[in-house]
Amino acid sequence: MVNRNFPAHGALKITIEGNLLVIRAQGPANTEMVLQYQREVQLYREQLCENAWASLILLTGEPLLPPAASSMMVESIKQAEHMNLVATAVVFINVQYQSISEQFWEGIYQRTTLKHAFFEQESIAREWLRQEVARRKETI
């Protein structure tokens, strides 16, 4: 194993809005950024995990990851599913190669059981997530 000590590449902002975890990220990102994400997101997930919740991912730039970081994201998503995450909506905003980015993220989500969808408009994504959380609450 090579000893790496690189700065995180990319940008990340995480907030909570009701039962919605909003993640704003700009790529490309490296493994160090995914490690930073994992540290930061855990605190927010712990605040939400008592009830059903959803995540809204707003991606800009070139939202791609190296292979090792992609595998780390898969594990992070699986962990969130065990913390009552019911669905994720991904919105690409001013993404340079949107079809490639969507294929990339679809590959990550297909390695989990999380319900997910891609949207062009944030408002539509938020409504879909609201419905998914409501649907989960009805089944509990």
Side-chain angles (χ1 to χ4, degrees):
M1 179 97 181
V2 176
N3 187 8
R4 295 170 44 127
N5 191 17
F6 297 116
H9 293 181
L12 176 68
K13 182 179 180 193
I14 304 171
T15 57
I16 293 176
E17 298 175 17
N19 59 6
L20 188 63
L21 181 67
V22 181
I23 301 167
R24 292 171 174 85
Q26 181 178 356
N30 60 1
T31 302
E32 289 73 18
M33 176 53 76
V34 173
L35 288 169
Q36 178 183 331
Y37 162 78
Q38 288 178 325
R39 284 189 303 271
E40 289 183 26
V41 79
Q42 186 63 25
L43 300 172
Y44 293 95
R45 289 175 178 170
E46 288 171 2
Q47 294 175 49
L48 293 164
C49 71
E50 293 299 317
N51 300 297
W53 57 282
S55 62
L56 174 64
I57 315 294
L58 305 170
L59 298 174
T60 60
E62 296 177 31
L64 304 174
L65 305 169
S70 297
S71 295
M72 292 165 58
M73 285 303 301
V74 169
E75 294 309 310
S76 183
I77 294 165
K78 288 178 180 179
Q79 183 182 62
E81 287 182 274
H82 293 294
M83 297 177 80
N84 281 327
L85 174 62
V86 299
T88 291
V90 179
V91 180
F92 296 106
I93 304 167
N94 297 324
V95 169
Q96 199 165 10
Y97 306 105
Q98 184 166 332
S99 63
I100 292 170
S101 296
E102 188 170 323
Q103 288 175 347
F104 174 82
W105 285 97
E106 179 64 26
I108 287 175
Y109 285 106
Q110 283 183 345
R111 292 163 57 191
T112 73
T113 58
L114 181 64
K115 189 168 189 175
H116 64 281
F118 299 95
F119 296 88
E120 293 186 12
Q121 295 179 7
E122 183 179 336
S123 59
I124 296 171
R126 285 176 179 270
E127 178 57 24
W128 180 77
L129 290 170
R130 188 194 63 71
Q131 292 173 5
E132 291 301 318
V133 171
R135 186 174 294 123
R136 174 63 65 90
K137 287 181 178 178
E138 289 172 2
T139 62
I140 296 176

